[in-house]
Amino acid sequence: MDDAIESLLEKKGETFQKLEKNTGISFIAFADRISGRIYDSIKSIDLIGDEIGAGYEIILSGYAPGHDSTSTMKRIRREIPELQVVSTSEKIEGMARDISFRNSSGKYLVPFSPELVYPVEYADILHSFMKFKIKRLFFSELPMLHRDLISDVGGWRPLRNGSDLDLFSRMAVNYGILACPTNMMWKDRITVKDVMGLRYPENMTGLSASERYLLTRDLIIACNHSFSDIREFTRIRKEYDGEGSMTLMLLAFLGSRLSDIKPVSYNRNNLVVVMESLLESLVLKEYLKVDGMEDRVYLQIDRAHMEFLNLRSRMFKDMKASLSYFLRDQI
């Protein structure tokens, strides 16, 4: 374990510089329906953007014909002039993300969930990160991505599920991650699975069989799961959560191999790629570069993904003792 940590410490540090004036932020979200929480969510993002004071816009994209006519959207448009609404032809999250990116003007992109209400304290954390000209993925419950990085690694791909993880894995390999997970939303149980946009559709209500299949297929592509991965992970999810259909996973795995969108392949699956880059950053305590993070850092991982990392990541096993502070009582 000591050797592993020492090798990480040999990495070169970045040069940090002052925040430029008029640095813009584009907050982007995907919504295929207008929920009751979307007003509160966008309002919280509006407060964060205003508090940062760097110029911002909020872009909501998704497949929602006629959504502007709803009372909720009328209220949001009336009260939040920074909001832009972009309709897409299909309910494909990655495609909507890419359209938001292409319609955005910010130097930084901040993906958020329209189902969550974010504390305004995130403004301080994001502003602190923006002070530094550092081209890495900023990982927190509100991730921040430099525009150049998104373009350099090819942007979001048209995946219905896991499109953020698919993008984050390319960023992790090419640029690395600065990990700043916080304890500010621990009551909402926001785990790394949620930050990376991983959804498991077996028990999601209101979905047809074909929708469940497509969501599962695209998740496998995003994660670059092998047959062994899906077999092991399905077993783990059944054990811990009582969920997981092996039949659906097998059909989706076969479909992923026939899809026009191919998995991005490294020497391990993409979930492990991102998590190991995140863990490196935490062990090196890089979060201390960000103002106010010392007492806030907290990595929340659900039980199924914790067990999967135990089995698939040598780094996670070797550094578990060093990670106990960040994981608190989870291990």
Side-chain angles (χ1 to χ4, degrees), residues 141-329:
E141 296 74 31
L142 268 181
M144 179 171 270
L145 295 65
H146 193 287
R147 186 175 203 88
D148 291 348
L149 267 64
I150 299 172
S151 297
D152 289 350
V153 302
W156 281 277
R157 300 197 296 166
L159 296 170
R160 294 168 173 81
N161 195 358
S163 62
D164 284 347
L165 171 65
D166 178 67
L167 176 64
F168 290 178
S169 67
R170 285 172 271 142
M171 288 187 169
V173 168
N174 289 282
Y175 294 98
I177 292 176
L178 177 59
C180 289
T182 77
N183 59 9
M184 290 193 290
M185 298 184 72
W186 71 270
K187 290 183 179 179
D188 295 305
R189 299 190 61 80
I190 306 303
T191 68
V192 292
K193 167 179 70 75
D194 303 306
V195 177
M196 293 186 287
L198 306 182
R199 294 176 289 161
Y200 298 93
E202 295 98 335
N203 294 324
M204 291 173 64
T205 59
L207 296 180
S208 66
S210 63
E211 287 174 323
R212 295 177 195 276
Y213 162 77
L214 290 171
L215 284 169
T216 306
R217 182 201 66 182
D218 285 6
L219 177 65
I220 291 171
I221 293 172
C223 293
N224 188 29
H225 278 322
S226 66
F227 176 74
S228 175
D229 288 335
I230 65 170
R231 184 176 58 186
E232 197 66 62
F233 196 51
T234 301
R235 178 191 64 78
I236 292 170
R237 291 187 64 231
K238 278 186 175 293
E239 178 181 344
Y240 284 103
D241 303 328
E243 299 177 352
S245 167
M246 192 62 190
T247 301
L248 175 60
M249 292 293 281
L250 285 174
L251 289 173
F253 176 75
L254 293 174
S256 72
R257 273 34 191 177
L258 299 173
S259 172
D260 291 336
I261 304 174
K262 302 302 180 185
V264 177
S265 296
Y266 301 108
N267 61 354
R268 56 216 188 279
N269 76 56
N270 294 339
L271 176 60
V272 173
V273 165
V274 173
M275 288 303 302
E276 289 189 344
S277 183
L278 191 158
L279 297 176
E280 286 182 11
S281 180
L282 286 176
V283 169
L284 293 175
K285 297 186 177 181
E286 293 183 312
Y287 56 86
L288 293 177
K289 298 172 182 176
V290 178
D291 296 339
M293 273 299 299
E294 184 169 8
D295 298 326
R296 285 176 168 166
V297 64
Y298 177 62
L299 182 66
Q300 196 158 347
I301 307 177
D302 63 275
R303 294 184 304 169
H305 285 84
M306 183 84 74
E307 181 63 22
F308 185 75
L309 287 171
N310 271 323
L311 294 172
R312 286 294 189 260
S313 172
R314 178 182 294 273
M315 179 184 293
F316 187 86
K317 288 186 290 187
D318 289 347
M319 294 184 175
K320 186 177 288 188
S322 299
L323 292 168
S324 60
Y325 171 75
F326 312 107
L327 294 170
R328 302 298 198 276
D329 58 351

Side-chain angles (χ1 to χ4, degrees), residues 75-137:
R75 182 184 181 190
I76 295 172
R77 280 192 171 281
R78 183 173 64 251
E79 297 184 16
I80 305 176
E82 290 79 12
L83 177 70
Q84 301 176 38
V85 180
V86 180
S87 294
T88 56
S89 58
E90 296 185 67
K91 293 188 289 185
I92 300 178
E93 180 183 74
M95 180 184 293
R97 289 271 205 236
D98 185 63
I99 290 173
S100 292
F101 172 59
R102 295 177 186 280
N103 280 275
S104 68
S105 59
K107 184 176 181 179
Y108 295 93
L109 278 288
V110 177
F112 72 96
S113 168
E115 295 293 322
L116 297 175
V117 177
Y118 297 89
V120 72
E121 287 80 6
Y122 279 111
D124 293 334
I125 294 174
L126 295 180
H127 183 268
S128 180
F129 174 72
M130 290 171 63
K131 293 177 182 177
F132 313 128
K133 289 186 175 179
I134 172 174
K135 291 200 171 182
R136 289 167 72 184
L137 165 62

